[in-house]
């Protein structure tokens, strides 16, 4: 195989949809959003949700609740009592560990340490803020330094692994849903009754009922892990590919809950996403189309460290809400979803722009 073929770039169709109207504690903006996907009906579906956001007084209110990137290390102790003593030593030494992290990175900050003991094994979950980077490598580098320090200073423990799967990276787990990994964002939208009728062709009551029966009860019966949504992963994958993110992180990113209420005909619609792993610097961000997309989203501005990544996260959350709202609305009407897919996926005149 030639060198050129091994370094080929896969072309995925991309479109800008919107604009989406966003407010909240990070950004107030109206922006189009890029989605790279082979599922062409996703563009008009998210576009319909974006149209709804423009017709709502505050648009989508996106609130950044928390942010942290995690890496868990595994150490082996001689017994459970020794593991417990090690865990207590780690807790008591947190200020020193925080100072140590600052020596190995300009942007990483150790914000918390959590641990769990199983038999003679100690799982230690380090949690960091990582500036504008999504932080995988930054967290691993810092954890490597911390692990070396722990092995040298705490008696009775030995190396297990630099990653003990208590992080948890690219897997759907309860711990990420509870504690969060990446950016934790809540996106909310209050849709007037007339817009629910004219744009979504349904009612607030029907959407609220479907959310309860499908997203909540259906996911419960299926054994979902801290998740109750229709298709968060669709929007996240399209957005991640278009903005240079590690696409495998949609596994934990797709964990999240949709909340709906019928407020006298108006629709309250909210998406909580506790695991949005996005960054505006690092691997994948140097590609030309990624640079262009991030600049167009306003994520290449001079801001305090982490400001551009936080902006990207709330735009991602708003994009997810747009697609989730549109799909649930469609599914309240018999046949609408399939008609849209047949019409749009068989339309050979649909323009496709490769990234």
């Amino acid at each position: 195989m030639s060198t050129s073929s091994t370094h080929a770039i896969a072309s995925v169709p991309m479109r800008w949809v919107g604009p989406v109207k966003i407010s909240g504690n990070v950004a107030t903006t109206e922006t189009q959003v890029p989605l790279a996907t082979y599922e062409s009906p996703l563009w008009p579906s998210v576009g319909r949700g974006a149209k709804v956001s423009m017709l709502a007084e505050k648009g989508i209110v996106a609130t950044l609740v928390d942010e942290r990137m995690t890496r868990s290390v595994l150490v082996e102790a001689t017994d459970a009592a020794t593991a417990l003593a090690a865990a207590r030593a780690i807790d008591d030494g947190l200020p020193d560990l925080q100072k140590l992290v600052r020596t190995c990175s300009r942007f990483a900050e150790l914000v918390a340490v959590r641990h769990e003991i199983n038999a003679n094994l100690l799982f230690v979950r380090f949690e960091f803020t990582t500036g504008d980077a999504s932080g995988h490598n930054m967290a691993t580098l810092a954890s490597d330094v911390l692990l070396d320090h722990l092995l040298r200073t705490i008696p009775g423990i030995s190396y297990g692994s630099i990653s003990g799967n208590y992080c948890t990276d690219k897997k759907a787990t309860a711990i990420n849903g509870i504690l969060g990994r990446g950016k934790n964002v809540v996106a909310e939208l209050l849709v007037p009754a007339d817009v629910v009728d004219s744009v979504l062709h349904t009612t607030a009551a029907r959407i609220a009922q479907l959310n309860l029966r499908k997203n909540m009860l259906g996911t419960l019966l299926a054994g979902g892990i801290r998740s109750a949504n229709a298709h968060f992963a669709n929007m996240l994958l399209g957005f991640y590919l278009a903005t240079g993110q590690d696409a495998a992180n949609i596994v934990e990113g797709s964990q999240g809950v949709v909340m709906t209420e019928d407020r006298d005909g108006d629709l309250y619609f909210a998406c909580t996403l506790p695991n949005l792993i996005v960054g505006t610097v690092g691997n994948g961000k140097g590609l030309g189309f990624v640079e262009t997309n991030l600049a167009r989203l306003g994520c290449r501005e001079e801001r305090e460290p982490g400001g551009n990544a936080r902006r990207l996260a709330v735009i991602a959350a708003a994009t997810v809400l747009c697609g989730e709202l549109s799909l649930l609305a469609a599914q309240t009407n018999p046949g609408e979803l399939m008609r849209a897919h047949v019409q749009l996926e068989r339309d050979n005149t649909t323009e496709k722009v490769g990234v």
Side-chain angles (χ1 to χ4, degrees):
M1 183 178 291
S2 68
T3 301
S4 59
S5 63
T6 61
H7 290 84
I9 295 177
S11 180
V12 181
M14 189 194 83
R15 277 191 176 184
W16 287 82
V17 300
V20 181
K21 184 177 180 180
I22 303 170
S23 62
N25 64 350
V26 171
T28 299
T29 187
E30 294 179 6
T31 180
Q32 290 186 309
V33 295
L35 292 171
T37 180
Y38 292 110
E39 189 176 354
S40 53
L42 190 65
W43 297 318
S45 180
V46 173
R48 181 166 72 154
K51 180 179 179 180
V52 171
S53 78
M54 296 296 292
L55 297 172
E57 181 180 358
K58 296 181 180 180
I60 296 170
V61 182
T63 302
L64 181 78
V65 176
D66 188 51
E67 58 180 318
R68 59 193 63 219
M69 174 49 64
T70 65
R71 172 59 69 199
S72 72
V73 300
L74 170 62
V75 298
E76 180 180 353
T78 53
D79 51 35
T82 304
L84 177 60
R88 289 174 174 169
I90 292 170
D91 289 341
D92 292 341
L94 179 58
D96 292 333
L97 298 181
Q98 291 173 321
K99 291 177 183 177
L100 185 58
V101 169
R102 296 188 189 106
T103 68
C104 63
S105 172
R106 289 186 299 156
F107 300 106
E109 291 283 342
L110 179 63
V111 293
V113 179
R114 307 175 194 269
H115 44 71
E116 184 160 335
I117 296 169
N118 188 288
N120 66 321
L121 300 178
L122 174 62
F123 296 81
V124 185
R125 178 180 164 113
F126 296 117
E127 302 180 353
F128 308 88
T129 57
T130 55
D132 280 307
S134 61
H136 294 94
N137 292 337
M138 197 182 298
T140 301
L141 172 62
S143 296
D144 201 38
V145 172
L146 291 171
L147 178 56
D148 179 68
H149 172 78
L150 297 180
L151 295 176
R152 286 187 291 103
T153 59
I154 298 178
I157 61 172
S158 59
Y159 178 84
S161 175
I162 184 58
S163 177
N165 263 16
Y166 195 63
C167 315
T168 297
D169 186 32
K170 298 165 187 170
K171 289 166 280 290
T173 61
I175 194 168
N176 282 350
I178 296 169
L179 300 179
R181 187 170 194 264
K183 306 289 193 291
N184 185 329
V185 182
V186 178
E188 303 169 282
L189 181 64
L190 185 62
V191 189
D194 63 317
V195 177
V196 177
D197 176 58
S198 63
V199 179
L200 298 175
H201 312 299
T202 187
T203 67
R206 286 159 62 191
I207 290 180
Q209 182 186 67
L210 180 63
N211 183 58
L212 173 63
R213 293 177 173 179
K214 169 192 168 72
N215 284 346
M216 299 289 188
L217 181 57
T219 306
L220 172 67
L221 295 176
I225 303 175
R226 292 189 64 85
S227 192
N229 66 77
H231 71 146
F232 280 13
N234 256 338
M235 287 72 71
L236 284 179
L237 179 59
F239 193 86
Y240 278 19
L241 290 177
T243 58
Q245 312 305 317
D246 187 337
N249 283 129
I250 68 166
V251 176
E252 60 259 63
S254 65
Q255 283 186 290
V257 175
V258 176
M259 176 73 176
T260 57
E261 292 179 358
D262 176 3
R263 297 185 175 178
D264 296 324
D266 296 341
L267 173 66
Y268 171 78
F269 195 92
C271 297
T272 298
L273 299 102
N275 304 316
L276 281 176
I277 299 176
V278 297
T280 56
V281 298
N283 287 342
K285 311 308 182 296
L287 296 173
F289 77 89
V290 172
E291 287 280 359
T292 298
N293 292 350
L294 290 175
R296 187 167 166 180
L297 289 169
C299 295
R300 278 287 180 259
E301 304 296 324
E302 290 293 330
R303 295 190 171 93
E304 64 176 352
N308 282 322
R310 287 188 283 271
R311 178 184 175 89
L312 190 64
V314 299
I315 295 173
T319 304
V320 168
L321 185 148
C322 289
E324 188 77 6
L325 172 63
S326 185
L327 178 65
L328 283 179
Q331 290 183 349
T332 65
N333 297 314
E336 180 179 328
L337 177 66
M338 199 63 245
R339 284 195 302 271
H341 272 263
V342 170
Q343 177 183 349
L344 294 166
E345 291 184 340
R346 293 183 179 179
D347 180 5
N348 294 325
T349 65
T350 300
E351 179 185 1
K352 294 178 175 63
V353 182
V355 300

